[in-house]
Amino acid sequence: MHMPSKLATAISASLIAATLLLSGCESASGSPDTEKKDIAVSIPVETAAVSRGAISSTYRTTSTLEAKADAEVNSKATGLVQSVLVEEGDHVEAGQVLATLDTERQRIQLAKGKAELGQLRSEMQRIEKMYERKLVSADVYDKLKWQLESMTAAVDMQELSLRETEIRAPISGVIARRYVKVGQLITEYSSKALFHVVSQQRLEAVINLPEHQLQRAKVGQTAYLNFAGMPQQQAQIVRISPVVDATSGTARVTIGIDNNDLSLKAGMFAQVELQYDSKAAALLVPKRAVLAMDNSSSVFVVKDGKVSRKVVKTGYESDAAIEVLEGLAEGDQVVTAGQASLKDQSLVNVVGNHS
């Protein structure tokens, strides 16, 4: 069973006392010798002292981590998959072989091309000697020279086709997905990827910052990211879009996160906090003490058993406190609970102080 709070208990006691006093007055009013007296009831409240402390100007939002670099790996050659050398979760370096295709067709074509190239080179050597002795025309010599260059290019292309039967990683990173299987027929330049490689040493979080916050955000500014079950991570703003989206009224801001220990993963959900400015000794009141109404903020200040309502000018705001720029002094006692029953100059009974 939950015990009633101090404030709730005090309110109940005050109501009972007020009822008994009113009942007594009603009984006494029947006697002409008894004067009517106004009964003043003190309203129970909880208070806290205005104090100094640290507070920051922050903007909070959410985002999802993205890899700064990732790549879908496709094949530049056609053939059957002969071997798959990596699995999901493996770290790979740029240029590392991930899979190989059957190379028999490419090797035969390359051997044929090299044979034809050798034949043309021999013929070229013979024609060059005859051309020097003016025994063949320039047309014959030039035609053979161009044939030799064309065949050399063809052999280079066949060698490239053979090398492309080795599927290599375009970037360093981690194999996020493996789609290919041994024995599968692969078509050159197919849109279907064989692997998905993600580089997670550097991650990014993209947020949409409202345009009224843009003047406060700067490249290089510190951002804090919070993840479920993990310590807070520090990051930096690396890019701010030069344009504002007319539909949403926001601009894209990219936050870069160093992840050399690979503790973070692309796709993780993050609570993002941009810290624009901080004050070490600001005048603070509990957030629940401040009443907002008609574009102004006010608090009830307790003094000598009464409250007075004071309009205050506020500044930075945190989860628990609000900075007061004007209207209060350090040490003032402000009402933090029970304001709903108060008006200016109400009598109060302080039943709890959270100073």
Side-chain angles (χ1 to χ4, degrees):
M1 180 181 295
H2 296 290
M3 296 296 292
S5 67
K6 287 183 178 180
L7 182 59
T9 303
I11 291 172
S12 299
S14 297
L15 291 173
I16 293 170
T19 302
L20 292 174
L21 285 170
L22 289 171
S23 299
C25 282
E26 287 175 359
S27 299
S29 65
S31 172
D33 299 329
T34 305
E35 295 182 0
K36 288 186 177 180
K37 294 184 179 179
D38 292 333
I39 300 171
V41 178
S42 296
I43 300 172
V45 295
E46 292 181 1
T47 65
V50 178
S51 60
R52 293 197 176 273
I55 195 167
S56 300
S57 171
T58 58
Y59 174 76
R60 294 178 177 85
T61 186
T62 59
S63 184
T64 302
L65 294 186
E66 301 173 1
K68 180 177 174 60
D70 67 328
E72 297 282 357
V73 183
N74 298 84
S75 175
K76 297 179 182 180
T78 298
L80 294 174
V81 178
Q82 196 170 55
S83 63
V84 176
L85 306 177
V86 294
E87 286 295 338
E88 293 177 0
D90 290 349
H91 179 79
V92 296
E93 297 295 331
Q96 180 177 332
V97 178
L98 309 180
T100 61
L101 306 183
D102 176 55
T103 61
E104 185 176 1
R105 183 182 299 275
Q106 287 82 0
R107 291 184 184 280
I108 292 173
Q109 290 176 344
L110 178 59
K112 178 184 177 183
K114 285 183 175 181
E116 293 177 353
L117 180 60
Q119 182 182 1
L120 282 174
R121 283 174 176 167
S122 298
E123 182 69 14
M124 188 64 187
Q125 290 174 357
R126 186 177 67 83
I127 293 297
E128 279 180 342
K129 292 177 181 179
M130 296 177 66
Y131 180 70
E132 290 172 358
R133 297 165 58 187
K134 310 289 187 185
L135 297 177
V136 294
S137 66
D139 288 344
V140 173
Y141 175 78
D142 288 342
K143 183 178 180 180
L144 186 60
K145 184 177 72 172
W146 298 127
Q147 286 179 345
L148 178 61
E149 291 183 1
S150 177
M151 196 64 213
T152 301
V155 169
D156 290 342
M157 183 62 71
Q158 289 162 357
E159 288 177 341
L160 177 62
S161 296
L162 180 60
R163 289 196 301 271
E164 287 177 343
T165 59
E166 293 181 334
I167 311 301
R168 296 180 179 271
I171 61 172
S172 298
V174 176
I175 302 296
R177 291 294 303 272
R178 173 183 67 82
Y179 303 103
V180 67
K181 297 179 181 179
V182 173
Q184 185 177 346
L185 177 62
I186 302 301
T187 306
E188 63 179 351
Y189 299 109
S190 170
S191 60
K192 186 175 181 180
L194 309 183
F195 301 92
H196 183 205
V197 182
V198 177
S199 177
Q200 300 203 100
Q201 276 79 12
R202 183 76 174 169
L203 298 175
E204 292 182 342
V206 177
I207 63 173
N208 295 307
L209 196 65
E211 77 180 282
H212 68 270
Q213 296 278 350
L214 280 177
Q215 290 185 342
R216 296 184 178 186
K218 307 293 181 186
V219 172
Q221 200 167 57
T222 300
Y224 297 95
L225 278 70
N226 296 289
F227 303 91
M230 296 182 66
Q232 188 180 69
Q233 303 287 324
Q234 187 169 319
Q236 280 189 331
I237 295 177
V238 294
R239 289 190 303 279
I240 299 176
S241 174
V243 296
V244 174
D245 183 89
T247 304
S248 63
T250 61
R252 283 172 57 89
V253 174
T254 304
I255 298 169
I257 308 106
D258 287 324
N259 188 39
N260 294 323
D261 60 357
L262 301 180
S263 60
L264 302 177
K265 311 295 181 186
M268 290 180 70
F269 182 79
Q271 298 279 349
V272 181
E273 181 179 306
L274 298 183
Q275 191 173 98
Y276 300 129
D277 185 26
S278 61
K279 297 180 181 179
L283 199 62
L284 305 178
V285 296
K287 196 170 184 178
R288 59 181 182 162
V290 179
L291 304 173
M293 184 179 295
D294 298 330
N295 297 320
S296 66
S297 298
S298 62
V299 298
F300 282 107
V301 178
V302 179
K303 188 175 181 180
D304 299 331
K306 290 184 178 181
V307 294
S308 59
R309 187 166 191 157
K310 290 189 176 182
V311 176
V312 295
K313 182 179 179 181
T314 60
Y316 295 164
E317 183 177 328
S318 68
D319 291 336
I322 294 179
E323 178 191 17
V324 176
L325 302 176
E326 295 177 6
L328 294 176
E330 186 175 358
D332 285 348
Q333 295 291 323
V334 296
V335 177
T336 58
Q339 300 100 315
S341 303
L342 297 180
K343 60 183 180 179
D344 201 32
Q345 300 303 311
S346 292
L347 295 178
V348 294
N349 176 27
V350 178
V351 297
N353 190 302
H354 302 282
S355 302

